[in-house]
Amino acid sequence: MRAKVSDMHSKDCVKVAVRVRPFNKRERDAGSRCIISMVSSSITIQDPRDSQNRRSFCFDYAYWSHSGFTRDHRGIYVPEEPGGRYADQDSVFQDLGEGILENALQGYNATLLAYGQTGSGKSYSMMGYGPNKGLIPKLCDRLFQAIKENQENRQCQVFFSMLEIYNEQVVDLLSRASRTPGGLRVREEQQRGFYVEGLRTVPCETAAQVEQLMEQGTRTRTTAATHMNANSSRSHMLIILQLKQIFSKESITKQSNINLVDLAGSERQRSSGSEADRLKEGTAINLSLTTLGNVISSLADVAVGKKVVHIPYRDSALTKLLQSALGGNSRTVMIATLSPADICYEESLSTLRYAERAKRIQNRAVVNESPTERLVKELKAENARLLQRLSRLGQEGRRANDETKELRQLLTHNELQIRAIQTLWEQHVQEALKDWEQQYANITQERRMMQMHPYILNINEDAQLSGVVKLFIQEGEWDIGLCDSSPRSICIKGLGIQERHAVFRNEQRRVTLTPMTGTKVIVNGNPVSQATELQHLGVEFKLEIKNLALSDSKGHDLEKDIVVRVTSKGTKQTKQVWMWSKAKFINRKFLMEEVYQQHLAEQSGDNEVAELSTVTLPRDKDPFWDPIEPLLLGTAHLWLQSLAFRIPLEEQLEVLGSEGTEEGILQTQLVPCSSTGLPLGEDDILIDPSEILGRRLDFQLVLDQCCGLRWIREARNRGVQIGFRLFDCSQPLYTPAVWHNVNPLLDHRVHFASLHTSQRLLDFLQSSAVVLELWGLQEGCTQLKSSLEGVRMTADGIFIIDESSPTENTPVDPSDLSCSVRALQQDLDELKSVNESLRKENHNLREQLNTARNGGEGARSRSVRPSCDAEFARALKVFYHSMTSVRGQLQRLRRHRPSEESDLLGLRLFVDEQSHLLRDFSEQLEQSVSTLKQDVAAIVRRKRERSGIWS
Ligand code: ADP
Ligand code: MG
């Protein structure tokens, strides 16, 4: 078992963890060297200019998050191999988060601080990015889970607050009330210690609510930073979770504060003396961080026995609020984050020194518990006393109306108070609920706006604050600049921004940007001085279910999966389409984020760009740019059964898209033929397919024409190809491409031959289809070519199939077949036995004929077989033709599904339709079988009659 922070030491030393992140792009591009190494919990840093100069430190935890990781399908960074050394978010949480949670549940105050230079991974560890959730969200998840699991023993209340300290001003990130000048006041009380006066605390009952509040807080923070042109890396962010637990059986309450602190970038601490910074940010900017350093130093001195007169908690807002976390009543953990790069040596060394000092600090944490609902109990006791007095008064018969009245009033008052206390929490929750609903409505509204209108996003040096502010460009003309008085203006603040800086014009979603004279506007990295149309490369994504309506050559459903259809915006003619797997989509998303971060890094520091930018890249650098590939639009099934009887077939097939849409019609033929390609006649129809076993079978697959192609109708500059693969042919074959035509002629004919027809091929013909794939071509994409590698062909271009007959046959598993197909099989068996008896009869007839004619007119006897069999063959032909449509009906039935959003009424309609389809299906099936039976009966009757004549 892992040692938890809570049970590591009996003394409450501040626990320190160090984490080193991967190289970022800038460091990789600069060819950086990693100067940090770790062995268990000791960490060594090497001076890049002096290889002899190394320093080692030992901490409670050392996390190697620099290398040895991979991204899984959810986008989460995990160790490359199980048990690898890479420390992922989960393992950091296991060590640090679980301990904090346990402490809080036991009733201790707990504090988690993240310290390190800007960009070293503080926010990554604390909050996390995207699917890589950090300590705070994980902690909230687990906290509410623990609360749920222990509901019987205790009642829990969680209050959430979020604040920021910037320039010594305390800003409530959850309060929408206008900011008080100078920020909120930090006050001190004997019992509570330091606290923020008027800070909003929101009761929460789920982790999702906390997440929503954090999102809200981040938004406030971003808006403030953007408006004040402030550098968020110089602010401290604090989240305070207050946990109150009431154990009614034991009659105690426990209360603990969990402080989660994402500190300002440590690099600013030393530059705080610089004149430029002072001018820009005011003198107090880093007071909090500097004081924190001083407090930690003093406390470290205390720990080693030095005499320290004064610990300067009161010198800054941050240290006031962290007083109990440092040298007080709290169990505290610090995570110090490092860049691995040689160029960050100074900063990393200073972080390690700082962490080393923090490690020495000793706290005295105590469980904050008190008798449960003492107040309530006291009030109840008082009530009981009052009642007693009342009854005594009555007994004594004294006239004490006044006193009685007074006492009754007191009683009512007390009762009210009890009820008030009991309902206070519910009220809090109700209020918060209303708030959440409002927030939810706002978010929904924003999402809708994002779908309807183009918008600009902010970018910020701090990745956590990027993309938070959205400014919408609605139809019409919009001034952008400092001006916020006009109703048609978009207000931005920043250095170099003019009153009217530029004008956006949105005409039917075409947006142009026109700079005012003398202002600086940059589009895609190029300064512009006149009206410029803005192009949007963020393509359109649509989720689709792959193979929703498609089936394999046996008609079995194909495996379903999610795919993303990516369509580049543009005119009908320039639009392009890609199909991405889920994995590819997730990968691309990360690539995009990386590019965005990189872009951000390039922009940061350039204040005149005013935090506003859109990301557009040249194609070769655009991670979204993919070579254009042919897309599988849909498939059609051409059933092969008739070939087993050497019956020709002509079919108009519906090509179905992945989700069941009709993509076009395909005119096809299956033509049984001679080895030279001449079509066979009716006389060559086989009554018993097994006759072909071991013999040669030739046939042609003809693709005549496509009709009504949706793909081409959408954009004329496109083309199509048909691909197919027959039986054991090792490669798919493709028709030549046809372009620009909704109804293109294909006129494509392929001759196949099996030299010694095997049972396997025969089974395949009887039960399978050739799946014809419709491929969509776009401008600039390469066509699909039939690779003839491993394909056997004769000199005349005939494709040889059925070459390797495996020794064991693979029989069709009856359980695989649907009932209807099984019924067909039974009918077929019946037909076979009828056929068998007919053959016998036929044989008898021939013999009779031979004896009758005495062999003199033997030549005529040969004509009997074809004439009898031909009738039967014709009947079979009719039967298989009707079977094809029955199969089509069966496919339709299979595809027929209720829509996802169906309500009860919808489902009823669906069931109605379904039973209609079923009825049609069974009628058709019965019809074809009974026609066949009638035909056979007629043939048998006629034969009997004939044999009667002859006998
Ligand atoms: P800080 O908050 O210290 O300024 P961030 O947490 O925002 O820094 O990290 C800066 C960048 O580095 C972010 O893009 C983040 O995703 C990345 N990063 C930080 N730590 C890690 C890590 N352990 N693994 C992967 N990426 C990380
Ligand atoms: Mg950060």
Side-chain angles (χ1 to χ4, degrees), residues 863-878:
S863 68
V864 174
R865 195 197 89 101
S867 67
C868 290
D869 284 358
E871 276 182 56
F872 190 70
R874 230 166 285 141
L876 268 182
K877 187 173 162 183
V878 171

Side-chain angles (χ1 to χ4, degrees), residues 765-781:
L765 294 179
Q766 303 225 37
S767 63
S768 310
V770 55
V771 179
L772 300 165
E773 299 172 341
L774 177 67
W775 289 87
L777 305 172
Q778 310 171 61
E779 239 170 43
C781 85

